[in-house]
Amino acid sequence: MKKQYLITREQLDRVVDNYLSSKMMGGRVVTKRNEFSKGSLMNAFINPSGEVLFILFEWAESWDDDDGPRNVLKIDEMLVEFFTTHLSVRKHKAMDIISDWFQDTYDFDFVSVEESGNLRGTFNGWETPIEKEKSV
């Protein structure tokens, strides 16, 4: 018989914090400017082994008529899958927990969170040169 344990949200947050902080320790953030919208940026959060775990798009303008600038966080789908499998939480809950950690750690605001399967391809697809790079 499989044993099940209940943990508090604080304990879950601590597990996520320990895992993600250790995974990103020694990583870097690479920022690229959009070639067609000079005020729009892509911030790629890359861990020391070269995996792009997060991309934060900072769009200078919106495609909707009724709102202004918007930021979108994309999370690597393998990271979401890891938490859903190992912590037995639903996908949307895993994304919520990961995005909470991201916002607390890097102090960025965003209006939506999405899962993406090819963040490295997205990162490489922006043809503009790297504007700035910093360690995290």
Side-chain angles (χ1 to χ4, degrees):
M1 176 178 220
K2 184 178 174 182
K3 290 186 178 185
Q4 293 184 342
Y5 299 95
L6 294 177
I7 63 172
T8 65
R9 174 62 195 247
E10 291 79 22
Q11 291 170 322
L12 179 60
D13 288 342
R14 207 174 10 220
V15 168
V16 171
D17 180 48
N18 288 339
Y19 179 77
L20 291 175
S21 294
S22 67
K23 193 148 180 80
M24 285 302 296
M25 187 177 299
R28 65 191 199 281
V29 179
V30 178
T31 302
K32 293 184 179 184
R33 188 169 302 281
N34 187 307
E35 178 179 5
F36 303 106
S37 173
K38 298 299 184 196
S40 298
L41 302 173
M42 178 197 63
N43 302 293
F45 293 77
I46 305 170
N47 73 2
S49 63
E51 296 173 283
V52 179
L53 297 181
F54 306 98
I55 290 182
L56 180 71
F57 291 101
E58 297 181 66
W59 301 109
E61 66 277 336
S62 175
W63 291 275
D64 298 330
D65 293 334
D66 60 346
D67 60 354
R70 63 187 180 105
N71 298 341
V72 177
L73 176 65
K74 294 203 178 243
I75 302 172
D76 180 60
E77 75 178 356
M78 295 305 289
L79 196 56
V80 175
E81 173 106 8
F82 175 82
F83 284 111
T84 58
T85 303
H86 289 80
L87 298 178
S88 298
V89 295
R90 292 190 175 133
K91 183 176 167 180
H92 73 276
K93 187 64 172 176
M95 290 176 59
D96 183 45
I97 294 167
I98 294 167
S99 64
D100 286 349
W101 173 87
F102 183 88
Q103 192 167 24
D104 292 343
T105 303
Y106 296 110
D107 196 30
F108 280 105
D109 290 325
F110 39 87
V111 295
S112 67
V113 179
E114 301 171 1
E115 175 186 34
S116 183
N118 190 6
L119 293 182
R120 174 54 73 178
T122 302
F123 174 72
N124 291 336
W126 281 52
E127 298 175 5
T128 57
I130 295 174
E131 295 231 334
K132 61 183 176 180
E133 183 174 327
K134 65 178 181 177
S135 296
V136 291

